[in-house]
Amino acid sequence: MAMNISITRTTNPKPRPADESKLGFAKQFSDHMFLMDYTAGVGWHDARIVPYAPFEMDPATVVLHYAQEIFEGLKAYRTAEDKILLFRPDCNANRMNDSADRLCIPRIDPDFFVEAVRTLVDVDKDWVPHLDGTSLYIRPFIFANDVGLGVHASKHYVFCIITAPSGAYYAEGINPVRIYVEDDYIRAAPGLTGFTKCGGNYAASIKAGELAEEQGFAQVLWLDGIEKKYVEEVGSMNIMFKIDGKIYTAATVGTVLPGVTRRSIIELCKDWGYEVIEGKLAIADIMAAAREGKLEEVFGTGTAAVVSPVKELRWKDETAYISGGKIGPLTQKLYDTLTGIQWGKLPDTKGWTVEV
Ligand code: COI
């Protein structure tokens, strides 16, 4: 898909955030956005970067009713030498196509996806923040743009990319969070869309997340949708457990999001000699390990969440306290190594970063 990207720069640039320590997560958006249209019979066309602006939409647009939509999340990092790096954007491109297939959305050439991200970030490179731990969060998404209320695959789509200077996803930052193990609502079941990044997955998760937040938990940990027995993932991240020296995480077999951070962390753990077991892990066994003092560390992994330590797991009326409420040594080492590579502080021996 060799296509030119036309660029129309804003004549009215917005003020950039003055205090980068108060960015929060994706609250303000940069000056430009990428757009491309799809028409059945024609394919993807009109790739362009234009000033960031609201969409005008017919109230009967398919996405507003039936949620035929997918998205991705990645970041651009500013190095000490003022280079701008992306982290494994090809993985996001490929995952977006996996989501697209499941949602009957047309695929995008992965090289062109990366090119679109690079071009947009280059246009808005001044929006990549400078402060340690901050980055430009990049949100590519595709939505169905047909007008009409029949339930079927749309013939028109829009691919859009927006970017937002951001700090930590959780208010806690790198401080350990409390997680509620959800045993009422479910997020995914075999045959559904759990492995995709579709808006509908997140819409369905909000209720449980709100109830958990009311009780002071950062997010919920989802169990499998059939037996409610095996751990799957957390609201905005995958999750890993260090038990008796080994690392356990749910296998990505259709109900769990195949996280880019997840696979990078697994690779690092294996490089360092850890045994990593991707499979079924029962919540009852995790709680038992905690009781026996074998649950050494628990951490989430995600683009937004990075590597996020967990200090507490509440399941029914039992609570597991982890690492004495502190960030565990492996969690810290993973965080330092991953962010070191992402911000160009450590050599990228894996070829994971791509310069803009
Ligand atoms: C990300 O980590 O990029 C995500 O997409 C999670 C999001 C729901 C905040």
Side-chain angles (χ1 to χ4, degrees):
M1 193 197 285
M3 207 192 303
N4 280 338
I5 303 176
S6 75
I7 301 175
T8 309
R9 286 177 192 267
T10 182
T11 51
N12 193 16
K14 296 181 273 194
R16 291 199 298 277
D19 184 352
E20 291 186 349
S21 67
K22 296 207 169 68
L23 287 173
F25 176 72
K27 294 187 197 301
Q28 270 179 278
F29 295 86
S30 62
D31 274 330
H32 298 88
M33 61 186 187
F34 172 90
L35 285 175
M36 179 163 76
D37 301 309
Y38 178 90
T39 311
V42 179
W44 287 108
H45 58 92
D46 285 321
R48 58 204 186 274
I49 288 171
V50 294
Y52 187 98
F55 292 131
E56 190 171 298
M57 275 186 144
D58 190 293
T61 302
V62 165
V63 67
L64 299 178
H65 300 269
Y66 306 128
Q68 198 192 355
E69 186 268 356
I70 54 175
F71 69 94
E72 272 302 320
L74 66 162
K75 287 174 173 172
Y77 310 84
R78 187 181 293 281
T79 71
E81 300 78 30
D82 247 358
K83 284 196 238 162
I84 312 274
L85 302 179
L86 302 172
F87 185 74
R88 311 186 80 178
D90 55 312
C91 296
N92 297 92
N94 291 327
R95 188 174 61 185
M96 189 160 217
N97 279 335
D98 292 341
S99 299
D101 290 345
R102 178 64 180 82
L103 274 287
C104 287
I105 287 174
R107 300 166 74 93
I108 289 181
D109 175 65
D111 293 337
F112 186 74
F113 173 102
V114 175
E115 190 52 32
V117 169
R118 280 175 88 146
T119 311
L120 179 65
V121 172
D122 190 45
V123 167
D124 273 341
K125 56 178 173 297
D126 292 346
W127 284 83
V128 182
H130 298 73
L131 192 70
D132 222 24
T134 63
S135 57
L136 187 72
Y137 185 74
I138 304 165
R139 171 54 62 86
F141 59 107
I142 307 177
F143 63 89
N145 202 26
D146 270 10
V147 173
L149 299 185
V151 181
H152 49 70
S154 216
K155 294 192 177 348
H156 300 88
Y157 296 86
V158 174
F159 175 38
C160 180
I161 311 175
I162 53 176
T163 68
S166 296
Y169 184 75
Y170 293 110
E172 289 90 338
I174 179 73
N175 294 322
V177 294
R178 303 173 68 222
I179 298 283
Y180 182 84
V181 182
E182 177 59 51
D183 61 357
D184 188 6
Y185 299 107
I186 60 166
R187 174 189 174 276
L192 274 170
T193 54
F195 67 95
T196 72
K197 270 187 107 60
C198 70
N201 284 346
Y202 294 81
S205 77
I206 289 173
K207 177 91 177 177
E210 290 293 297
L211 293 173
E213 251 181 59
E214 276 169 27
Q215 297 179 67
F217 295 94
Q219 291 199 347
V220 303
L221 166 55
W222 298 102
L223 300 178
D224 74 277
I226 304 289
E227 296 177 80
K228 294 188 191 159
K229 196 168 159 191
Y230 303 103
V231 296
E232 295 212 319
E233 66 181 82
V234 175
S236 67
M237 54 190 194
N238 296 109
I239 187 160
M240 305 198 184
F241 304 84
K242 179 163 177 269
I243 302 174
D244 216 8
K246 295 180 188 160
I247 319 292
Y248 295 83
T249 193
T252 51
V253 285
T255 51
V256 174
L257 188 81
V260 178
T261 311
R262 173 189 180 280
R263 64 191 267 192
S264 309
I265 290 295
I266 289 175
E267 221 177 297
L268 289 175
C269 287
K270 286 185 177 167
D271 286 356
W272 296 340
Y274 286 99
E275 187 178 339
V276 181
I277 298 128
E278 297 176 66
K280 284 185 163 186
L281 180 61
I283 182 67
D285 293 341
I286 294 172
M287 300 309 273
R291 265 179 254 123
E292 292 160 17
K294 292 182 179 162
L295 181 59
E296 293 154 0
E297 297 182 40
V298 180
F299 53 91
T301 64
T303 297
V306 196
V307 175
S308 192
V310 175
K311 66 175 174 187
E312 203 179 308
L313 280 177
R314 169 81 57 84
W315 181 48
K316 300 183 191 289
D317 48 17
E318 184 176 0
T319 302
Y321 296 97
I322 304 134
S323 305
K326 301 203 175 65
I327 179 164
L330 175 64
T331 311
Q332 183 74 57
K333 186 174 172 195
L334 286 166
Y335 178 87
D336 292 343
T337 306
L338 186 75
T339 57
I341 295 172
Q342 290 171 331
W343 271 276
K345 294 177 193 165
L346 292 178
D348 175 16
T349 54
K350 307 231 164 234
W352 280 343
T353 57
V354 172
E355 195 175 339
V356 168

